[in-house]
Amino acid sequence: MIAAAISATGLFTPPFSISNEELVASYNAYAERFNRENAEAIAAGRVEALELSSTEFIEKASGIKSRYVMNKEGILDIDFMHPRIPDRPNEQLSIMAEMGVAAAKDALTRAGRDARDVDAVICAASNMQRAYPAIGIEIQDALGIGGYAFDLVCGCGSAAYGIATAVDMVRVGRAKSVLVVSPEITSAHNNHQSRDSHFIFGDLCTAVLVEAADVAPPHAWAVLGVKLKSQFSNNIRNNYGFLNICDPEGVGKPDKLFVQEGRKVFKEVVPLVSEMILSHMAELNLAPNLLRRMWLHQANSNMIRLISQRVLGREATEDESPSVLHEYANTSSAGAVIAFHKHSDDLKPGERGLICAFGAGYSAATIFVAKAA
Ligand code: COA
């Protein structure tokens, strides 16, 4: 089996950011208007009043203070509450491909690699803006990469499942250099009219260059082991899909956006993921004290704290389990990669870390890495 390595990561950060204060002000204006317009029905008990959101709740429940978005004005406009992302002509680069190309170029530069050295592209994200042609193939074409490309969709596990797939491709010798690109426009599948989830998400794109260890640059990360696990659950769901146009009743239903049972997700995913990490560590003969850092999926600060505590057998420090939630919010599958990208330069040769993603599906992935000696 050929050894695989992570040669570099790259990031594209959207041009706008929305603070909790701005988002809550918009949601509350929407809720107050709804309550005013429905005052009679609410008083008669026919309609339920909308409760107000609060910045204090958001920060305490999730650790999120701000998020980046591809369009700010549409999300905050209480008559729209979605990002305004107009269709582009087919001849123009798609918005997801545009984000992907920017993140990929960043990763290639950091690896000191030319796009022509890459053999394959996987566009791995929790939602694709169209069915075909694959966004991955569009990114491949825009970068002038030979070989092949495809899309991979698996909720918040997508980026990590993409990295795992790239590692397998390298290990069997199908490719020597694979780009895994994760453009997440989560603001477009979030429901900004739902108090329980309007604050959760942010947009971003990451890129990860996975290569055969013998061609990887000296500062690369050896991949020690990869594990994937999925377990069906309806607790995080998005029913948007091509069959929707076949149901005249279905248009505009809230289940065509992100919906979740947040409490159940919390309760079920924390044990599932911590047990998965511990059993993978046992397989790799890796005691907790040999794990320098965990870059966990960035959904919720309490979840990150609890999972790292179960893995280490004690409370983890911010240095051992860093969070980027305050700045980026939940960027779906890109979250663990952002944490790795932002908080990995200081590790010394030989030190080991864990990239771990989890989310809708449920889907979970553990990728153990070691800084090249
Ligand atoms: N502002 C103010 N109050 C709010 C609120 C908001 N925006 N949203 C919910 N509340 C209220 C609720 O109505 C509830 O009130 P009650 O106790 O009077 O019934 C209370 O706050 C607690 O709500 P709950 O939804 O149980 O909060 P929580 O502590 O579970 O936190 C999440 C919510 C979503 C942050 C949390 O459940 C979570 O992160 N779960 C995991 C999510 C996840 O990983 N999803 C994967 C997506 S990739």
Side-chain angles (χ1 to χ4, degrees):
M1 194 168 68
I2 298 163
I6 292 179
S7 291
T9 52
L11 213 61
F12 164 80
T13 305
F16 307 103
S17 79
I18 301 181
S19 67
N20 284 348
E21 287 73 20
E22 290 173 300
L23 198 65
V24 166
S26 152
Y27 174 84
N28 285 350
Y30 156 77
E32 278 165 348
R33 185 180 68 180
F34 176 92
N35 291 343
R36 247 188 344 266
E37 288 175 355
N38 293 279
E40 212 178 298
I42 291 169
R46 290 195 308 276
V47 170
E48 223 174 286
L50 294 180
E51 289 185 74
L52 299 187
S53 184
S54 91
T55 53
E56 295 73 29
F57 170 84
I58 294 171
E59 201 175 327
K60 186 165 164 284
S62 68
I64 297 166
K65 293 184 184 173
S66 186
R67 70 282 295 143
Y68 292 101
V69 290
M70 293 303 286
N71 173 270
K72 177 169 180 170
E73 171 270 325
I75 294 171
L76 296 182
D77 174 358
I78 64 167
D79 291 319
F80 194 59
M81 297 178 92
H82 297 289
R84 267 188 240 277
I85 301 178
D87 275 353
R88 294 179 176 187
N90 289 356
E91 297 69 35
Q92 196 182 337
L93 199 65
S94 312
I95 188 164
M96 284 184 72
E98 185 177 294
M99 295 165 76
V101 166
K105 281 184 175 167
D106 187 25
L108 291 169
T109 305
R110 287 170 194 270
R113 188 70 74 231
D114 191 283
R116 282 166 302 195
D117 302 330
V118 177
D119 304 316
V121 177
I122 304 173
C123 179
S126 54
N127 240 322
M128 293 295 158
Q129 69 181 95
R130 62 166 183 266
Y132 43 81
I135 306 290
I137 300 178
E138 196 178 3
I139 295 170
Q140 176 200 3
D141 179 66
L143 289 169
I145 292 172
Y148 63 102
F150 58 94
D151 291 349
L152 185 158
V153 178
C154 197
C156 290
S158 301
Y161 275 47
I163 296 170
T165 305
V167 167
D168 290 345
M169 282 155 56
V170 166
R171 281 177 169 170
V172 299
R174 188 179 302 286
K176 263 191 170 306
S177 182
V178 185
L179 258 176
V180 182
V181 184
S182 301
E184 293 286 7
I185 311 182
T186 56
S187 62
H189 48 108
N190 196 6
N191 183 351
H192 295 99
Q193 296 182 343
S194 155
R195 182 179 76 136
D196 289 359
S197 55
H198 76 116
F199 57 88
I200 288 179
F201 286 120
D203 303 338
L204 199 107
C205 183
T206 54
V208 180
L209 186 66
V210 177
E211 299 193 300
D214 61 347
V215 300
H219 57 268
W221 295 79
V223 176
L224 304 177
V226 173
K227 274 253 176 324
L228 304 180
K229 183 175 172 60
S230 48
Q231 182 181 301
F232 185 70
S233 169
N234 275 326
N235 288 334
I236 312 169
R237 195 162 171 126
N238 177 342
N239 279 329
Y240 187 76
F242 79 101
L243 287 179
N244 294 154
I245 53 168
C246 305
D247 174 13
E249 309 286 309
V251 181
K253 275 193 185 167
D255 75 337
K256 304 299 181 283
L257 294 168
F258 167 87
V259 281
Q260 77 164 350
E261 296 277 353
R263 274 278 155 105
K264 286 189 189 163
V265 173
F266 200 106
K267 274 199 186 138
E268 291 174 8
V269 169
V270 169
L272 183 145
V273 171
S274 23
E275 279 153 33
M276 182 178 173
I277 296 173
L278 286 168
S279 80
H280 196 180
M281 281 170 70
E283 248 178 66
L284 295 171
N285 285 321
L286 206 59
N289 64 326
L290 296 176
L291 194 62
R292 175 70 182 79
R293 191 164 290 163
M294 284 173 271
W295 301 281
L296 300 182
H297 174 53
Q298 304 286 310
N300 174 298
S301 53
N302 295 322
M303 227 167 169
I304 292 175
R305 190 176 49 78
L306 217 55
I307 292 174
S308 21
Q309 189 186 38
R310 287 187 181 204
V311 172
L312 297 182
R314 60 171 169 81
E315 192 87 19
T317 62
E318 177 67 19
D319 183 67
E320 290 168 323
S321 178
S323 165
V324 298
L325 273 166
H326 54 284
E327 181 179 354
Y328 293 94
N330 179 348
T331 49
S332 190
S333 81
V337 180
I338 307 172
F340 175 68
H341 179 85
K342 293 256 166 185
H343 298 284
S344 55
D345 282 350
D346 59 321
L347 263 66
K348 296 188 186 69
E351 286 190 324
R352 300 171 187 85
L354 164 69
I355 300 168
C356 175
F358 42 86
Y362 299 128
S363 54
T366 47
I367 302 166
F368 285 92
V369 292
K371 188 80 176 263

